[in-house]
């Protein structure tokens, strides 16, 4: 196990406000970063904004602003959203910052100097929307962009090219030697079959058709291709090639640090093929893992600003709270597969998992400990009977499987395990019938045992949910009396440690929602976004 983690989200285009699809990617990355920190790892988490390119230049002009003014306004919204969603990033890089632009120019110069970049002529099918050139095969007989499906145009220009041919063999070798580099596995096959096997053209890495980009120092009428500019954010933010390379040495070059990029399926090609090649050209380490998540769809098509079918995360967080939104994104949409945002499922998840299961378990447990034991969790007496033993075993097993799944970035499955534990604990109350045990003085030991096991499973569930339920887990601990040393993750492995805690009943963690009212409300939000 490596000592440190560097984890990144893609940097988002500030061409319009972010929607729930972007929030999904950043939230899941945040859950992973928080999980690693909780386990005691040093973790550096980066996100940011990808501010150059033709689309931004056009959108700014349409808004009557300079590109910089335009992106400044939108990036303010990014900060606000990440704040609202309690994203724990350590840094936020903007590709218009000097710490980035200067280094990107240096990188380009290095590649030019070592002959990895050359000046040539480009002719190909260009997608304005994706700012990508495509080959005949890729554009197909209908001349459509393979990424976004829009029509592409034949375009020709003098341009600089990156010699991908020089690095293809080594990339294939890298894939072979590092089977865990690109996950899910199907993504790697897709890359090989769609892009590498048909023959990879050299990559055009400059543009002259617009000026909102980083100029090439040696030939300033060209700006650097937005993807070469953007991908390097992962190292410029750490101070690569600067007077302060400490973070870069610690979180990128050091093999003791695991570097993980989280990204959406639509940008796999850039991260899995070109990024390792750029790094090799610069003589740098490649990332350890790239995890490709699926896309959130709306009515069977990708949710996107340009299609106008977006769900705005702001009002959702404002009305339902940060935990509900984070929970839904983590639990409902299997991390790695495509999913969809559905108002009915959103409300159902909150009601079932958070209000009925977790909230109710806390409510019942704290009330009973108050009623039967003056608010103090009784001493742990081991396994008084089989049903206690079952809950204890499940609690311990849940910790193990949660860690295994989380480490493997199977975040949805990990949280589902915690959910099962909570459901089991609720069922345990029904099975043990503490209200009946309380009537029989001879059953006092049994009643004590039930309370201790319940408090213990809640303690464990609260800790395992901490990376997702960033405010509710603290509230849960507050009611359960968990403080000080017990806030350390590893303490959950000492079964029975909750004995002696002083519980206190407070507000419900998650009030139950009126499904019909809330579904209608969310639908009206979505309709307003069209
Ligand atoms: N700027 C580039 C990324 C450069 S990274 C060096 C970009 N920006 S983006 O704003 O269009 O998208 C950023 C991320 O958001 C991508 O990972 C993309 O997959 C993700 N999502 C955008 N729409 C999404 C959904 N509807 N669902 C899930 N993720 C989505 O691409």
């Amino acid at each position: 196990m490596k000592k440190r983690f560097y984890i990144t989200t893609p940097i988002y285009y500030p061409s319009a406000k972010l929607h729930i699809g972007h929030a999904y990617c950043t939230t899941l990355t945040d859950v992973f970063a928080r999980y690693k920190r909780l386990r005691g790892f040093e973790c550096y988490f980066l996100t940011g904004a990808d501010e150059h390119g033709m689309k931004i230049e056009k959108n700014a002009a349409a808004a009557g602003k300079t590109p910089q003014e335009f992106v400044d306004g939108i990036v303010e919204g990014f900060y606000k959203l990440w704040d609202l969603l309690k994203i724990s990033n350590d840094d936020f890089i903007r590709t218009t910052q000097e710490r980035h632009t200067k280094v990107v120019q240096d990188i380009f110069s290095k590649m030019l100097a070592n002959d990895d970049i050359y000046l040539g002529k480009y002719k190909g099918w260009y997608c304005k929307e994706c700012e990508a050139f495509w080959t005949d095969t890729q554009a197909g007989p209908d001349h459509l962009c393979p990424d976004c499906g829009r029509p592409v145009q034949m375009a020709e220009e003098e341009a600089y090219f990156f010699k991908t041919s020089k690095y293809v063999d080594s990339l294939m070798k890298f894939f072979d030697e590092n089977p865990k580099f690109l996950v899910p596995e199907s993504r790697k096959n897709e890359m090989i079959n769609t892009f590498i096997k048909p023959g990879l053209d050299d990559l055009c890495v400059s543009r002259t058709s617009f000026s909102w980009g980083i100029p090439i120092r040696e030939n300033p009428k060209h700006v650097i291709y937005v993807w070469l500019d953007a991908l390097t954010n992962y190292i410029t933010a750490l101070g690569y090639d600067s007077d302060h390379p400490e973070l870069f040495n610690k979180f990128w070059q050091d093999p003791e640090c695991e570097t993980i990029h989280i990204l959406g399926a639509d940008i796999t090609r850039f991260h899995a093929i070109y990024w390792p090649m750029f790094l090799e050209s610069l003589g740098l380490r490649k990332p350890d893992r790239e995890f490709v998540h699926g896309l959130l769809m709306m009515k069977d098509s990708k949710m996107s600003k340009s299609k106008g079918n977006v769900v705005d995360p702001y009002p959702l967080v404002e009305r339902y709270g940060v935990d509900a939104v984070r929970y839904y994104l983590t639990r409902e949409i299997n991390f790695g597969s495509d999913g969809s945002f559905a108002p009915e499922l959103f409300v159902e998840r909150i009601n079932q998992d958070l209000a009925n299961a977790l909230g109710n378990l806390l409510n019942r447990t704290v009330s009973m400990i108050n009623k039967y034991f003056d608010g103090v969790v009784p001493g742990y007496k081991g396994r008084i009977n089989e049903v206690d033993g079952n809950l204890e075993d499940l609690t311990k097993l849940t910790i193990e499987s949660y860690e295994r799944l989380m480490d493997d970035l199977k975040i949805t499955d990990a949280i589902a395990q915690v959910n099962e534990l909570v459901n089991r604990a609720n069922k345990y109350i029904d099975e043990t019938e503490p209200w009946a045990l309380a009537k029989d003085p001879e059953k006092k030991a049994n009643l004590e045992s039930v309370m201790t096991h319940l408090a213990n499973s809640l303690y464990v569930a609260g800790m395992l949910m901490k990376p997702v339920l960033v405010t509710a887990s603290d509230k849960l601990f507050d009611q359960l009396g968990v403080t000080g040393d017990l806030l350390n993750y590893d303490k959950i492995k000492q079964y029975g440690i909750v004995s002696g805690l002083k519980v206190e009943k407070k507000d419900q963690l998650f009030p139950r929602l009126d499904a019909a009212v809330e579904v209608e409300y969310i639908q009206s939000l979505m309709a307003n976004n069209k």
Side-chain angles (χ1 to χ4, degrees), residues 10-13 18-19 21-22 24-25 50 227 230-231 233-234 263-267 271 293-297 302-305:
I11 48 172
Y12 301 93
Y13 289 130
L18 297 181
H19 57 66
H22 306 113
Y24 174 64
C25 181
D50 184 1
W227 274 101
L231 286 163
N233 89 88
Y234 300 130
L263 49 128
D266 52 338
I267 57 174
H271 283 81
H293 66 75
L295 299 178
L296 293 201
M297 318 293 265
K302 185 186 155 190
M303 189 188 296
S304 78
K305 294 171 273 214

Side-chain angles (χ1 to χ4, degrees), residues 58-123:
K58 276 201 308 202
N59 289 7
K65 294 185 177 169
T66 66
Q68 191 65 58
E69 280 165 1
F70 179 77
V71 294
D72 283 351
I74 295 192
V75 169
E76 271 309 304
F78 288 14
Y79 290 137
K80 216 180 113 202
L81 181 61
W82 300 152
D83 207 38
L84 203 65
L85 280 166
K86 300 225 182 294
I87 303 302
S88 62
N89 54 304
D90 295 284
D91 194 2
F92 186 102
I93 180 124
R94 301 182 57 179
T95 55
T96 50
Q97 289 165 338
E98 206 195 334
R99 62 169 171 160
H100 178 76
T101 54
K102 200 184 135 301
V103 181
V104 173
Q105 286 181 320
D106 290 345
I107 287 175
F108 199 94
S109 300
K110 277 186 201 170
M111 291 175 168
L112 206 54
N114 70 14
D115 241 7
D116 279 348
I117 286 182
Y118 64 92
L119 187 62
K121 269 216 173 323
Y122 193 86
K123 195 162 184 271

Side-chain angles (χ1 to χ4, degrees), residues 429-447:
I429 301 182
D430 303 335
E431 286 167 2
T432 54
E433 299 184 338
W435 47 90
L437 297 177
K439 287 188 189 135
D440 182 350
E442 280 180 20
K443 295 275 169 62
K444 182 145 187 277
N446 291 65
L447 184 63

